[in-house]
Amino acid sequence: SQPKNLTKTNFGRGKNNDDSFPVKKSSSPSPCIDVKPTAIPHGETPVWINISLLIDEQLCNKSSIDKEWGWLRGHLQIHSSNSNGNDKFSGGSNSSDDNGATPSTMTVTINDPSSPTQNGRAYTLSTKCNDGNRILMANSWWTNHPIDSNKELTNMLESSNEPPGDLVDLTHLHEPAIVHALQFRYERDEIYTNTGSILLALNPFKQLDGLYTQGMMELYWEEAGEKSVGNERDDAEGGKPPHVYDVAARAFGSMMRALEESRDGVSGSCNQSILVSGESGAGKTVTTKIIMRYLAILSQRMVMARSSTAEFDFNCEGSGVERQVLQSNPVLESFGNARTIRNDNSSRFGKFIEMSFEAKRTGRGTLLGASIYFYLLERVRLVSVNPGERNYHIFYEVLSPSGMELEDRKRYMLTSSFGRGSTPSS
């Protein structure tokens, strides 16, 4: 009957993580046209150009493309001819101008330092190519606008030369805009990005100092008691940056507020769920452990608020329920995780973790325990392992010198020389 916070981890399998971002080559930029990397000439429109368009129009071949992603940044200018045969220039619109001139061609200038062989090149295309599929409007945060006489406006534009923490705030939301914004933040070690109520997390593949400290936890504690899941976020206004702690705190806070508002102390709306999904190596297992640890610490805070003698244990190393719940993770990983070609600690099964909290007013919010259900275990790994991969961790832990004693290994015929006709040895 206690309210429960449900954490479900869905372990998907997809492409290599490295395919998510353009590959930057070390070759020198092409000297075709000298265009500053972020300068957009006045009257021209910042756009994204799909590489397939240039290839289909036979303006370049695949061998001259050094980007594996598929999109190039650039700017576009429409050319139109009036009745006198004189050329006119406009922005990125295909419609007729005030004098009845119909746009016929357009110039696309590549403005993308991450593609050295294409950066600075200019291509002339028919306006029919501007069909809204392979030429997309770009967001202004990565461009330097023309200098305006209004100094206040110019300063405002220059200060916004970075993507927002919430992708919903992008003016143009499409594949190249999303990937480029995530790449920009990833290169600055900002691995978390919101898209509405969903948090996108990129595996940094390195240790990030200061990201999971007690100070960072305290930054989101008020989320656990004051704001609900549906409320507006304040990170866009210079507040808290996107973080997995924010997701956990909002779920815990919503559970606590629902308990306060319910008459009998228990209602269906008290239950909360957090779904962690992603491809292999994306960081699902680590993210789940971070969420569980943060919820355990939030439970500690509820106990401390009701007891003057309770001491805060940031590492959950005491003898309480929080410690027992968190210590179950290594056991699960031993029997269900294995090394793959992409991940040394890949979970080869799905987990459904149910954390139960006290609903009664006297101990409300106290962590009571957790239930862990697993499914879809990769049993074939027991008898067949692909080259470069390993079986489940438990086998190597048992057979290691620090695991099972030598005499026990001999008794169960687990020594390396068993079956070779020689005396068993270590």
Side-chain angles (χ1 to χ4, degrees):
S1 61
Q2 291 89 4
K4 300 173 181 178
N5 185 291
L6 310 181
T7 303
K8 179 180 179 182
T9 57
N10 177 24
F11 296 89
R13 303 175 73 176
K15 299 188 303 178
N16 194 317
N17 297 323
D18 296 336
D19 293 341
S20 301
F21 301 104
V23 177
K24 296 185 179 180
K25 307 294 184 181
S26 58
S27 55
S28 302
S30 171
C32 295
I33 301 177
D34 184 16
V35 179
K36 294 182 179 180
T38 57
I40 297 298
H42 182 69
E44 299 191 5
T45 305
V47 293
W48 287 97
I49 306 99
N50 195 291
I51 293 175
S52 64
L53 174 62
L54 304 180
I55 296 175
D56 292 347
E57 294 296 317
Q58 298 183 352
L59 297 174
C60 66
N61 52 49
K62 292 183 179 180
S63 61
S64 65
I65 300 294
D66 55 6
K67 290 191 66 172
E68 300 178 1
W69 175 33
W71 291 92
L72 294 166
R73 287 186 288 165
H75 52 269
L76 177 148
Q77 189 170 41
I78 300 292
H79 304 265
S80 58
S81 301
N82 56 23
S83 58
N84 298 325
N86 298 323
D87 288 337
K88 293 175 64 63
F89 298 92
S90 60
S93 173
N94 282 339
S95 60
S96 302
D97 60 20
D98 296 337
N99 297 324
T102 302
S104 56
T105 61
M106 58 186 179
T107 297
V108 174
T109 303
I110 306 302
N111 179 21
D112 197 332
S114 64
S115 179
T117 62
Q118 292 297 316
N119 188 37
R121 291 182 179 271
Y123 298 99
T124 300
L125 300 167
S126 169
T127 54
K128 295 180 180 180
C129 297
N130 193 8
D131 56 3
N133 293 321
R134 294 189 290 182
I135 296 182
L136 302 176
M137 292 286 290
N139 295 284
S140 59
W141 65 264
W142 58 267
T143 64
N144 287 331
H145 296 258
I147 299 300
D148 194 279
S149 58
N150 186 337
K151 185 173 295 186
E152 182 178 350
L153 174 62
T154 301
N155 292 337
M156 179 187 69
L157 293 174
E158 290 178 350
S159 64
S160 63
N161 259 9
E162 61 183 46
D166 193 334
L167 296 180
V168 174
D169 295 331
L170 289 175
T171 305
H172 306 288
L173 191 62
H174 43 63
E175 178 191 348
I178 292 174
V179 174
H180 189 231
L182 292 176
Q183 181 190 20
F184 185 98
R185 294 176 58 82
Y186 183 83
E187 291 175 347
R188 287 153 182 78
D189 291 336
E190 297 174 348
I191 64 172
Y192 293 118
T193 304
N194 288 322
T195 174
S197 59
I198 300 173
L199 179 70
L200 303 179
L202 303 179
N203 192 337
F205 294 101
K206 64 180 180 180
Q207 186 71 31
L208 297 180
D209 297 332
L211 192 58
Y212 304 108
T213 61
Q214 182 175 350
M216 185 63 73
M217 285 187 175
E218 294 174 355
L219 185 63
Y220 297 91
W221 277 354
E222 67 179 46
E223 302 283 342
E226 298 178 6
K227 299 178 71 175
S228 62
V229 173
N231 284 359
E232 292 295 328
R233 326 179 73 89
D234 60 357
D235 50 82
E237 302 173 359
K240 305 173 185 65
H243 202 287
V244 67
Y245 288 160
D246 183 37
V247 176
R250 285 185 290 120
F252 187 87
S254 294
M255 178 190 71
M256 295 300 295
R257 282 186 294 276
L259 285 172
E260 294 290 342
E261 295 169 0
S262 62
R263 295 181 178 179
D264 57 356
V266 179
S267 69
S269 62
C270 298
N271 297 334
Q272 304 294 315
S273 62
I274 301 174
L275 176 65
V276 183
S277 63
E279 63 183 27
S280 179
K284 300 179 295 296
T285 301
V286 174
T287 298
T288 301
K289 290 190 288 187
I290 293 172
I291 292 174
M292 291 178 64
R293 181 167 179 260
Y294 192 63
L295 291 173
I297 288 178
L298 289 177
S299 172
Q300 276 196 51
R301 292 189 67 233
M302 302 304 297
V303 174
M304 290 178 60
R306 292 186 293 268
S307 174
S308 58
T309 59
E311 296 183 1
F312 181 71
D313 183 8
F314 173 70
N315 295 316
C316 293
E317 294 178 348
S319 59
V321 177
E322 294 88 353
R323 177 173 175 267
Q324 297 177 27
V325 169
L326 296 181
Q327 282 190 337
S328 65
N329 284 311
V331 178
L332 286 174
E333 291 181 10
S334 291
F335 285 92
N337 289 25
R339 176 189 293 175
T340 66
I341 57 175
R342 299 190 215 169
N343 186 359
D344 286 346
N345 190 36
S346 177
S347 296
R348 312 313 300 167
F349 66 105
K351 282 184 290 189
F352 186 89
I353 304 174
E354 192 174 73
M355 301 180 70
S356 301
F357 297 85
E358 177 62 70
K360 296 180 181 179
R361 185 175 299 275
T362 54
R364 183 167 295 166
T366 303
L367 180 62
L368 299 176
S371 301
I372 303 176
Y373 307 90
F374 59 88
Y375 52 93
L376 298 178
L377 178 66
E378 190 182 42
R379 297 183 180 180
V380 69
R381 185 171 291 270
L382 292 170
V383 295
S384 177
V385 179
N386 294 328
E389 298 189 352
R390 298 204 321 178
N391 214 310
Y392 291 105
H393 295 331
I394 185 63
F395 299 115
Y396 304 94
E397 292 168 349
V398 168
L399 297 176
S400 67
S402 59
M404 185 181 295
E405 295 292 337
L406 177 59
E407 291 301 321
D408 292 331
R409 279 185 279 157
K410 290 179 180 180
R411 181 186 311 159
Y412 295 111
M413 295 177 289
L414 296 176
T415 55
S416 58
S417 59
F418 174 72
R420 298 178 183 175
S422 59
T423 304
S425 64
S426 60

